[in-house]
Amino acid sequence: MADPVSRRRFATAVGAALVGAVTGPALAKSAFAATAAQDLAAGPAATATDAYTQQFLTQYNKIKDSANGYFSPQGVPYHCVETLIVEAPDHGHQTTSETFSYWFWLEATYGRVTGDWTAFNHAWATAEQYIIPQHTDQPSNASYNPSSPASYIPESPNITDYPAAINTSVAVGQDPLASELSSTYGTQDVYGMHWLLDVDNTYGYGNTPGTGAENGPTATGVSYINSYQRGSSESVWKTVPQPCTDLFAYGGPNGYLDLFVAQSGGYAKQWKYTNAPDADARAVQAAYWAYRWASAQGAEGQISASVAKAAKLGDYLRYALFDKYFKQIGNCTNAQTCSAGSGRSSAHYLLSWYYAWGGAEPGGGWAWRIGDGASAQGYQNPLAAWAMSSIPALTPKSPTAQSDWTTSLGRQLEFLRWLQSAEGGIAGGCTNSWNGQYGTPPSGDSTFYGMAYDWEPVYHDPPSNNWFGFQAWGMERVAEYYYVSGNATAKAILDKWVPWATSKTTVTATGFTIPSDLTWSGQPDTWNPSSPGGNTGLHVTVASTGSDVGVCAAYVKTLCYYAAKSGDSASAALAKSLLDALSTMTDSKGITVPETRTDYSNFSGTVYVPSGWSGTMPRGDKIAPGATFLSLRSWYKNDPDFAKVQSYLNGGSAPVFTYHRFWAQADVAMAFAVYGELFEGGGGTGDTTPPSAPTGLTATAVTASSVSLSWQAATDNVGVAGYQVLRGGTQVGSTTSLSYTDTGLTASTKYTYTVTASDAAGNVSPPSAAVTATTAAGSTGSGTVKVQYADNDTNVTDNQIRPGLQVVNTGSAPLDLTTVKLRYWFTANGGASTFSTYVDYAALGSSNVSSRVVAMASAKTGADHYLEVSFGSGAGSLAAGASTGQIQNRFNKTDWSAFNQADDYSFATNTSYADSTKVTAYVNGTLVWGTEPA
């Protein structure tokens, strides 16, 4: 049987200059921890009306039984009951944000079945106590500068290239989230889960939450740690773990910093954390189900505070939607020349592999934040994106969060469709930074919005998309989204994925085999949003099968949600047979199967340490060239199971282990509950009745660039929570009122709208009857501004277009530039459908100006696209009669194919600035200058 281990791991690169430190007292055992045993005890005896929901309760009670060892004395869930296990964490009594997210989800399911929400709220309180860093643990965020978020450090696919040197000559972009987040929440601290905790302080750093200190080997309880700092080839077996707060108490003279980052001058004591975006998104996903189920019980008020925490987590999770160094998205193949981004120009809108943040210890006066440009299919979560953009209780508070998650939802679905192989499996992902250094991808590599296809994004040992678990995890989220929304794109993806997966599945009365390891060949077609390719050259092969119970559980839930919505009885039957087989694999602690671990030969493998480097781990293990995985962790020799490993290292047979991973055991429990809910009526407390369709949809006002709509209220058995507005079948906004104005439209263009209603449980109504509206013709009026244009490139035929623009305030009062947008209209003339845009110079600061290319819904004379130019808050206001001065724009297709500007609507040959009515201007979405193309 192939190893059924989670192939999870996270790669982090420190993103700023390294400098500063204090120590703190050991954390006393709090009243919070003292009550943990009581709070974590199995809930009141509960019974179910069907066998599958009862299986959930049986499994749940095993997990919550203190004798089974799933939780620490502080009430923190372990990654695994057993201590000797190496996969993403290198010890069973570490834990991850992944584990916490499954805990939230488990307790949400328990709340649905029993109506008791105490444990769900307790899980969130524990997360805030231990895995979401407190202010003391991230003390210098007040020094963070969003205009200079981090110093560039190139990654490398070769671990021997580390430590990597800081390169301050590479321009980084602006962080568009920081100011908004600090204004919204009144703090500059980041609210996100760090991915890895040493729950029993096995390493001995004593980096205790709430102290910001290294309290050492004598500290008890939880300690922040990190690993994976040295590129795509650094497997778990090659890591040198380190404390998140590095005060130089352990390691070498510079702590652990100079193992990873090379810099001139002295190193500084500092803190740093890494977020695993799929875990935070799963936490939001769990909170959505909790809210849906509690609302159906009339108990939403009992969990409102915890649901608000999930929404806040999702606000900061947006850092995962941006390039690592906030550089321009697309065609970013040279660190020096790839443009720094501003506004949303650095947003790819996908859930990338991580985001990270850090800074100096008090007195150092600096902090940094980074996103990531590499995105894997297995991390996307359209259900969470949908919840944050459509469910008011889960919509983050920041002003732009809802629109960001609305865009992300659409982009994630496009991404999964782009990666779907000819057989149905979903391929790896993409990157905006090849090899983590903005390198040049292989010739002919296909792209997604200008980002290069990567069949093994982020890490290569083992390849990141070879594990079938990523397929099951990812498709379960798609199936849940399809179940609650009926989205056609989600259904189309599942319609192809489910037959592929089921054709590779075998079930007997007492066992099953499902795909385990996958191999990939070919590549997807370059993404064209208006005409997606068929990916006939992209293929997946099942290299081996296995019986991973956790992956099977996610697979079962995928089949259940898909079958319940689509009516596919074969998928429901397969889900049932897999659950019945799982139920035969029980032991006193859960449901599991033995695993043969040939990879444990790596206990004796060498860990790369640079020549001349030496240091000491907290418990005395030496760090020096020639060190091994085991020599850095000599405490493993005292593990009660280590004799089996030692025998293997001495030439014996590979050891066999039976593991109880928290995430897997929780997912097995939930799989039984989902089947019981959807097909047996078990614990049937969920509201599954959607609202009625809204009626009386009417276009109440139409301008050249906007359509205002109104409708009559829908009805619901519990209550309508909000409405979603769809233009041409794609959601463009949501509201809790009975009206909405859609802005930024093209003049003289016909648009079709429908509206759906949703309730607090997330049920979505059928769409309303459609209404059509045609926008008015453009105006040549002079409103409050005029636009002046100059041609900065006299070549009519060229591979880039360079319009110079400036705005003049013709009104009598100052004008807030954030309300102004400009459009330069042109034809693409074939070639790539994606574009790169740049603001080469702006008199008011290029960082205060953003640009993007928009494809028009229907072509007009002289235009099928337009360049939209907008202004950030740093641009300020424009005084009456004043001009912005020159704004030198430039854009190209990502394949650098040529334009012919001769027939472009906005093009003119004047090289000096002059009024142009063919470049249009809008204030608050209303056309105020120029005439749009007819």
Side-chain angles (χ1 to χ4, degrees), residues 546-919:
S547 303
D548 186 315
V549 299
V551 174
C552 181
Y555 181 25
V556 165
K557 290 192 287 179
T558 305
L559 296 171
C560 286
Y561 284 113
Y562 175 70
K565 189 68 173 180
S566 69
D568 179 23
S569 59
S571 290
L574 178 58
K576 181 180 186 300
S577 64
L578 286 166
L579 288 172
D580 291 345
L582 279 168
S583 68
T584 69
M585 301 173 179
T586 61
D587 63 16
S588 62
K589 296 181 180 180
I591 291 177
T592 188
V593 295
E595 304 175 19
T596 301
R597 296 300 299 262
T598 57
D599 61 322
Y600 282 2
S601 61
N602 289 306
F603 266 88
S604 60
T606 300
V607 174
Y608 173 70
V609 177
S611 177
W613 203 98
S614 65
T616 306
M617 301 291 279
R619 300 193 185 277
D621 293 332
K622 300 299 180 184
I623 315 168
T628 66
F629 178 87
L630 182 58
S631 76
L632 296 178
R633 303 161 177 83
S634 63
W635 36 262
Y636 250 135
K637 295 178 181 179
N638 299 321
D639 191 283
D641 286 327
F642 189 75
K644 294 194 292 186
V645 175
Q646 188 63 64
S647 174
Y648 181 41
L649 297 177
N650 292 341
S653 58
V656 178
F657 289 86
T658 300
Y659 288 128
H660 298 83
R661 299 172 181 86
F662 188 99
W663 77 264
Q665 298 303 308
D667 220 19
V668 168
M670 291 186 286
F672 283 111
V674 168
Y675 187 85
E677 177 192 14
L678 298 181
F679 300 105
E680 300 288 325
T685 58
D687 174 13
T688 59
T689 303
S692 65
T695 58
L697 178 62
T698 304
T700 58
V702 180
T703 72
S705 60
S706 68
V707 173
S708 296
L709 304 165
S710 68
W711 55 90
Q712 296 175 14
T715 59
D716 185 65
N717 63 321
V718 177
V720 174
Y723 298 89
Q724 298 76 49
V725 179
L726 296 87
R727 184 204 312 143
T730 299
Q731 182 176 326
V732 293
S734 61
T735 180
T736 57
S737 71
L738 298 177
S739 62
Y740 182 84
T741 299
D742 187 24
T743 60
L745 306 178
T746 302
S748 304
T749 303
K750 183 178 180 181
Y751 294 96
T752 301
Y753 294 92
T754 55
V755 176
T756 59
S758 60
D759 59 22
N763 298 301
V764 179
S765 76
S768 68
V771 65
T772 60
T774 301
T775 50
S779 168
T780 58
S782 57
T784 56
V785 301
K786 66 178 180 179
V787 182
Q788 296 178 331
Y789 161 86
D791 179 19
N792 288 331
D793 184 349
T794 57
N795 295 318
V796 174
T797 303
D798 205 341
N799 61 7
Q800 57 185 345
I801 296 176
R802 298 177 59 192
L805 305 174
Q806 54 190 21
V807 179
V808 178
N809 183 356
T810 59
S812 59
L815 177 66
D816 180 358
L817 281 171
T818 63
T819 67
V820 177
K821 290 186 178 180
L822 313 178
R823 291 181 182 177
Y824 176 94
W825 306 81
F826 68 98
T827 52
N829 306 118
S833 61
T834 53
F835 297 78
S836 298
T837 65
Y838 316 87
V839 179
D840 291 329
Y841 171 78
L844 44 72
S846 59
S847 62
N848 296 317
V849 183
S850 300
S851 61
R852 63 172 185 152
V853 168
V854 178
M856 295 165 60
S858 57
K860 306 296 181 183
T861 302
D864 50 24
H865 291 75
Y866 57 83
L867 174 75
E868 183 176 79
V869 178
S870 56
F871 301 87
S873 58
S877 61
L878 187 63
S883 168
T884 60
Q886 293 187 29
I887 304 169
Q888 297 179 6
N889 302 280
R890 176 167 55 93
F891 60 96
N892 58 267
K893 288 174 278 190
T894 52
D895 65 357
W896 289 94
S897 58
F899 298 97
N900 184 345
Q901 301 181 74
D903 61 349
D904 286 0
Y905 180 76
S906 296
F907 175 70
T909 58
N910 54 289
T911 57
S912 298
Y913 282 91
D915 293 356
S916 173
T917 59
K918 290 190 174 183
V919 179

Side-chain angles (χ1 to χ4, degrees), residues 413-414 417-418 489 525-535 833:
L413 292 172
E414 287 183 289
R417 185 175 177 183
W418 174 60
T489 300
D525 299 327
T526 286
W527 179 247
N528 182 342
S530 61
S531 181
N535 287 352
S833 61

Side-chain angles (χ1 to χ4, degrees), residues 120-121 124 287-288 290-291 300 303-312 393-394:
F120 177 76
N121 290 328
W124 278 95
Y288 162 73
Y291 183 72
E300 64 269 27
I303 63 168
S304 58
S306 296
V307 171
K309 293 173 185 178
K312 183 176 180 181
L394 278 160

Side-chain angles (χ1 to χ4, degrees), residues 493-555:
I493 294 168
L494 291 161
D495 283 346
K496 192 172 183 180
W497 187 90
V498 169
W500 166 71
T502 57
S503 72
K504 308 298 181 183
T505 302
T506 302
V507 191
T508 67
T510 58
F512 64 86
T513 59
I514 59 177
S516 179
D517 288 313
L518 309 174
T519 57
W520 302 89
S521 62
Q523 64 173 2
D525 299 327
T526 286
W527 179 247
N528 182 342
S530 61
S531 181
N535 287 352
T536 56
L538 175 63
H539 298 286
V540 60
T541 301
V542 176
S544 65
T545 58
S547 303
D548 186 315
V549 299
V551 174
C552 181
Y555 181 25

Side-chain angles (χ1 to χ4, degrees), residues 187-212:
T187 177
Q188 296 192 61
D189 292 342
V190 171
Y191 189 85
M193 292 191 286
H194 173 63
W195 88 276
L196 184 63
L197 300 177
D198 183 359
V199 180
D200 293 342
N201 196 28
T202 300
Y203 274 102
Y205 294 113
N207 191 179
T208 312
T211 70

